[in-house]
Amino acid sequence: MRLFEILLAVSCLFMLNYLVFFKKSARKKAVTALLSAISIGLLLIHLFVEGYRWQMGLVYVLTALLLCYAAAGWKKQSIQPSKAKTGKRVLKYGFYAASMLLLAVSIGLSVILPVFQFPEPTGKYKVGTELFHFVDQKRKGTFADNPDDPRELMVRVWYPAEEQTSGRPAPLFPEGERDFNNFIGAYTKQMGIPKWTLGYFKYINTHAYSGAKALQGAAPYPLIILSHGMGTSMTLHASQAETLASHGYVVATIDHTYSTTATVFPDGRVTGYTTDMDGENFLQQASEVGKVWAEDAEFVIDQLTKINAGEISSGLKGIFDLQHIGMMGHSFGGATAFDVVSSDDRVKAGIDMDGTLFEATKRKQISKPFLFMRAEDYLSSTEEYIARSDAEKTVAQHLSSELSISKKASKHGGNLLLIDGAGHYNFTDLQLFTRLASWTGMAGKIDGKRGTEIVDRYVVEFFDEHLKGIKGTLLNGPSNMYPEVKFYGKNI
């Protein structure tokens, strides 16, 4: 909960107990007036400074009821149980019990669905961010309503920036009332929930500053391409991106259009999820979609190369070290990273965060440094399926090839890491959004902040070693700092 939300809830609780349990006295009227003024002040400050959100609605209602209760002088009669009539006593304590329930429900919703803050970036640099709209005239808009439209991509770039002396950090979700409402409308439609339920997302901020001046003194910086999972978006990887940027990387997060929950374009258009992945012939479909995503990543590298050369106007000219490019991704984006690192000579190293490969049978192994980061049950569930007598042959062969590639990663500077307590979405920022991610099984039992710290530490250290030549210690083997991380690689 945010500061003034906590203070408002505490004042509400204190006022409720004071009005119900303290005896009538000359002093009580003055104290009640003071408590009412404090509650009104906290409510107004909260609404104007932090902003309304529906999770606090019951606290607002209860605060209003208590203010009315105080203003109407309902307490003129003695409220001592021994003197109160039975009906009034039942009414009073019934009101108290109902009020406590309202307060508990509202506080519970505010905790479960918080306006959270990203962990502070751990690097030494401040972070800037800039949003780009790239149009690939050479490719068609796969999965678009009009397949003859060119392929369009929204890309957010995160980079080391100069110290900011004014302004506020950039919001996580689209800025401006129009774009935010369009985005949330499409987002909630895809999820099948009412639009108002995610309206509080507008209060979630990053640690980066929009349009901040790039820090030229330490440039150029290695470039990381970051690809999201199927049906999510780049918004689930903002914390990872700004952490990498704080350590001296430029990170380009891609929204793979028509494969996201929602993507907003500069003119206000919004696209949702229309990718054809119906479960039948999944591996073939995944391979076809994967080619589109891989081409997206390669096209983004082309565009950033033009920005670096000044062919596209931007304040980021000259800050990309295009001789040291890496790629990472989650789920389907991780599989895309594997494919791009395998096939594009410009990309030197990569990370797959819990993504099943869609090109496993065509690539016996990868000859570049590649790190596989997996949820705790990856090995056991994969080996169990392969060994099943009723396993679908094509799927079993695919998983066997994938497992073989993962096990051989250590031969070329990579490895296979398993994280105890991690589920699929512990490799994204979703673990920070809500505890429901863990309760519903989307994320594992590991604490969200702990999961974020582990993933970020190993990601930074991997790229430091293979793109900057700075070797750390975490990738040497098991660490007492992170006993949750298990290594599956030679000599480990």
Side-chain angles (χ1 to χ4, degrees), residues 283-288 290-291 338-339 342-343 357-366 397-398 401-402 405:
L283 292 177
Q284 179 180 345
Q285 292 174 347
S287 180
E288 292 172 357
K291 291 177 182 177
F338 176 81
D339 195 44
S342 299
S343 60
L357 304 182
F358 50 75
E359 292 291 355
T361 56
K362 296 182 180 179
R363 306 186 191 282
K364 298 304 180 182
Q365 65 180 38
I366 190 167
Q397 289 176 343
H398 181 90
S401 296
E402 177 185 288
I405 291 171

Side-chain angles (χ1 to χ4, degrees), residues 363-476:
R363 306 186 191 282
K364 298 304 180 182
Q365 65 180 38
I366 190 167
S367 58
K368 300 177 186 177
F370 201 90
L371 182 65
F372 293 92
M373 304 180 74
R374 295 287 194 172
E376 63 177 352
D377 63 348
Y378 167 70
L379 271 181
S380 58
S381 60
T382 300
E383 291 175 341
E384 179 182 338
Y385 184 87
I386 293 172
R388 280 170 49 182
S389 59
D390 62 339
E392 205 282 319
K393 184 177 180 181
T394 303
V395 174
Q397 289 176 343
H398 181 90
L399 292 177
S400 181
S401 296
E402 177 185 288
L403 187 58
S404 176
I405 291 171
S406 300
K407 290 178 178 179
K408 293 177 181 178
S410 62
K411 293 182 178 180
H412 301 281
N415 218 304
L416 168 59
L417 306 184
L418 307 178
I419 303 178
D420 283 350
H424 190 54
Y425 283 94
N426 285 113
F427 299 92
T428 73
D429 294 337
L430 182 64
Q431 60 187 327
L432 301 172
F433 276 67
T434 172
R435 297 182 183 184
L436 291 176
S438 177
W439 297 347
T440 58
M442 298 177 72
K445 62 184 179 181
I446 192 171
D447 176 73
K449 290 184 179 179
R450 177 68 173 177
T452 296
E453 178 186 349
I454 290 173
V455 172
D456 286 352
R457 283 294 306 274
Y458 282 83
V459 165
V460 169
E461 191 150 312
F462 176 81
F463 283 128
D464 275 354
E465 179 175 345
H466 297 292
L467 297 184
K468 293 184 177 182
I470 303 172
K471 188 171 177 59
T473 60
L474 288 180
L475 293 171
N476 292 338

